Amino acid sequence: MLVLGIESSCDETAAAVVKDGRKVLSNIISSQIDIHTLYGGVVPEIASRKHIERINYVIEEALSKAGTTLSEIDVISVTYGPGLVGALLVGVNAAKAIAYAAKKPLVGVHHITGHIAANYIEHENLKPPFLCLVVSGGHTHLVQVDGYNEFKIIGRTHDDAAGEAFDKVARAIGLGYPGGPKIDKLAKEGNPYAIEFPRAKIDGHEFDFSFSGLKSAVLNYLNTCEMKNIEINTADIAASFQQAVIDVLVSRALRAANQLSNGQIAVAGGVAANSSLRASMQESCNKNGIKLYYPSPVYCTDNAAMIGVQGYYIYMAGERSGLDLNAVPNLAFGL
Ligand code: KG4
Ligand code: ZN
């Protein structure tokens, strides 16, 4: 069974061909990062235009790299939310046009479930139930994955997403967009315990997160240094901020896994590419006898292979989308 996955929810135009739900035959990603870097973040209007320019080439390349043609594809799967509405519409309309013209079934995929499904690509033994820590630019969730299409949110952020905090702090210390990978790299040269930044807890919500206080603490620290004419060490700030985020993510995930008697945790989303988070999760999981899964970095950040994988499981469950499928920018998720 061949699934063509299409993803255009933010600043990556992507298409992939996935065989039997788990084997990636091609994974083409056309990134717009260079353009958005000029503006310090994603400009929605530019993102939509670039998706339109690139989507057809990206799909053609995905088919040709996979050594297949549209006629051999069994299912078209596409991200229909959440994300930037203009950006989503490009992928959704391309998928609908192909499904209609080639008479193929269409399935709409929730972007976050795609991130979770990225874990199936390289871990053939991974099967639900498992706990998933989803950490992306727009979401920070602890999700109990009870089945391939059954998700229960047990923890969530009350304000900023983890990736958003990385991007904002990176901007404040002059690293530019996208912040996550740049902080990851710079933090290796800094001391993670040089500056004590807060680790927020939320009363009565033991699995929830909050990162806006941490972001403000970094900004306050920078202001104080400026006022007192103290020279700042950006590597120490990056390392100390990153450590604060990691401590909170790891402790919540481990507490949830222990309480819910989950023997396995997966990590997903762009921030799951963070080298220190991966190392820290691995160390804690080893200590607690929990099996840890994470995707290769290319499957952590936005890609269409993960949409092909989740599309396969949605299709196998008998679900189909009609040609009235629409982009839903704030698409809800889980229970
Ligand atoms: O999953 P993703 O590609 O897009 C969304 O669905 O949001 O995640 C993008 C986010 C950005 O905030 C980016 O800064 C962050 O993931 N990110 C990282 C790393 N690579 C990407 N954060 C920390 N360390 C990284 N290595
Ligand atoms: Zn994403």
Side-chain angles (χ1 to χ4, degrees), residues 214-278:
L214 170 59
K215 175 195 65 193
S216 304
V218 176
L219 296 179
N220 287 342
Y221 176 81
L222 290 170
N223 285 338
T224 308
C225 289
E226 199 184 332
M227 276 188 327
K228 294 187 178 164
N229 236 341
I230 301 169
E231 205 184 321
I232 60 161
N233 180 331
T234 49
D236 280 351
I237 298 173
S240 301
F241 157 78
Q242 180 176 275
Q243 192 60 48
V245 175
I246 290 173
D247 283 353
V248 171
L249 293 176
V250 173
S251 67
R252 300 286 190 288
L254 267 292
R255 184 182 301 161
N258 284 330
Q259 277 194 26
L260 301 168
S261 325
N262 258 295
Q264 39 187 15
I265 302 182
V267 193
V271 183
N274 186 274
S275 53
S276 301
L277 173 64
R278 292 156 88 99

Side-chain angles (χ1 to χ4, degrees), residues 129-147:
F130 59 89
L131 182 75
C132 190
L133 171 67
V134 182
V135 272
S136 73
H139 294 82
T140 300
H141 287 324
L142 267 173
V143 182
Q144 176 63 34
V145 183
D146 286 319

Side-chain angles (χ1 to χ4, degrees), residues 7 9-12 82 111-112 115 134-139 161-168 170 177-185 241-242 268-278 297 299-303 306:
E7 154 67 40
S9 65
C10 191
D11 59 349
E12 247 81 56
H111 182 76
I112 297 302
H115 273 302
V134 182
V135 272
S136 73
H139 294 82
E164 198 179 345
F166 268 94
D167 294 336
K168 286 176 179 168
Y177 172 84
K182 293 187 175 173
I183 289 191
D184 192 351
K185 195 162 166 235
F241 157 78
Q242 180 176 275
V271 183
N274 186 274
S275 53
S276 301
L277 173 64
R278 292 156 88 99
Y299 296 127
C300 288
T301 45
D302 287 350
N303 66 88
M306 66 185 198

